[in-house]
């Protein structure tokens, strides 16, 4: 038997998978880890993409989490193709805290 899924059910599932409904209490690093990476054409949009997924957030918290030398539970900011901003958590786990790459300015 084939299970039928309605558009509202598909949207609800997608909102949940993208951490948009319900909004949670995860840290910046946990949000980025759960999403895999966060991409934006403008650096400020990266912060907005993370902050909208958290119940309590403050301006600059994404930048603080990406600061060189911060706690091990931080994120890495990358400039990929076409100077697009990305933040990634998995690279922190791969290269480890001692081999951190300074953030790009």
């Amino acid at each position: 038997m084939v299970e039928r899924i309605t558009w509202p059910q598909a949207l609800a599932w997608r909102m949940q998978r993208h951490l948009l409904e319900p909004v949670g209490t995860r840290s910046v690093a946990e949000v980025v880890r759960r999403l895999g990476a966060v991409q934006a054409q403008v650096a400020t949009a990266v912060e907005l993409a993370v902050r909208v997924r958290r119940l309590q957030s403050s301006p600059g918290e994404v930048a603080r989490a990406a600061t060189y030398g911060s706690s091990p539970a931080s994120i890495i900011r990358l400039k990929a193709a076409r100077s697009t901003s990305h933040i990634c958590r998995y690279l922190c786990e791969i290269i480890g805290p001692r081999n951190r790459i300074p953030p790009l300015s």
Side-chain angles (χ1 to χ4, degrees):
M1 184 171 137
V2 176
E3 186 176 334
R4 299 239 179 240
I5 298 173
T6 65
W7 280 110
Q9 288 173 321
L11 178 60
W13 178 82
R14 188 169 182 182
M15 297 286 283
Q16 182 182 16
R17 299 296 297 164
H18 285 269
L19 303 178
L20 294 168
E21 182 60 39
V23 175
T25 58
R26 297 174 191 237
S27 70
V28 170
E30 289 169 339
V31 168
V32 174
R33 185 179 205 287
R34 173 65 176 70
L35 296 174
V38 179
Q39 179 271 339
Q41 294 297 110
V42 180
T44 54
V46 172
E47 180 153 348
L48 179 61
V50 172
R51 290 185 62 198
V52 74
R53 290 166 166 86
R54 303 185 66 232
L55 283 175
Q56 295 181 345
S57 64
S58 59
E61 66 187 357
V62 173
R64 285 189 298 277
T67 301
Y68 181 68
S70 62
S71 69
S74 61
I75 58 177
I76 293 177
R77 183 183 305 266
L78 305 169
K79 289 276 188 171
R82 300 178 313 252
S83 294
T84 303
S85 294
H86 291 75
I87 53 176
C88 182
R89 173 72 182 124
Y90 290 111
L91 287 177
C92 287
E93 295 171 6
I94 293 169
I95 64 176
R98 284 184 278 176
N99 299 320
R100 292 282 310 276
I101 301 168
L104 299 170
S105 52

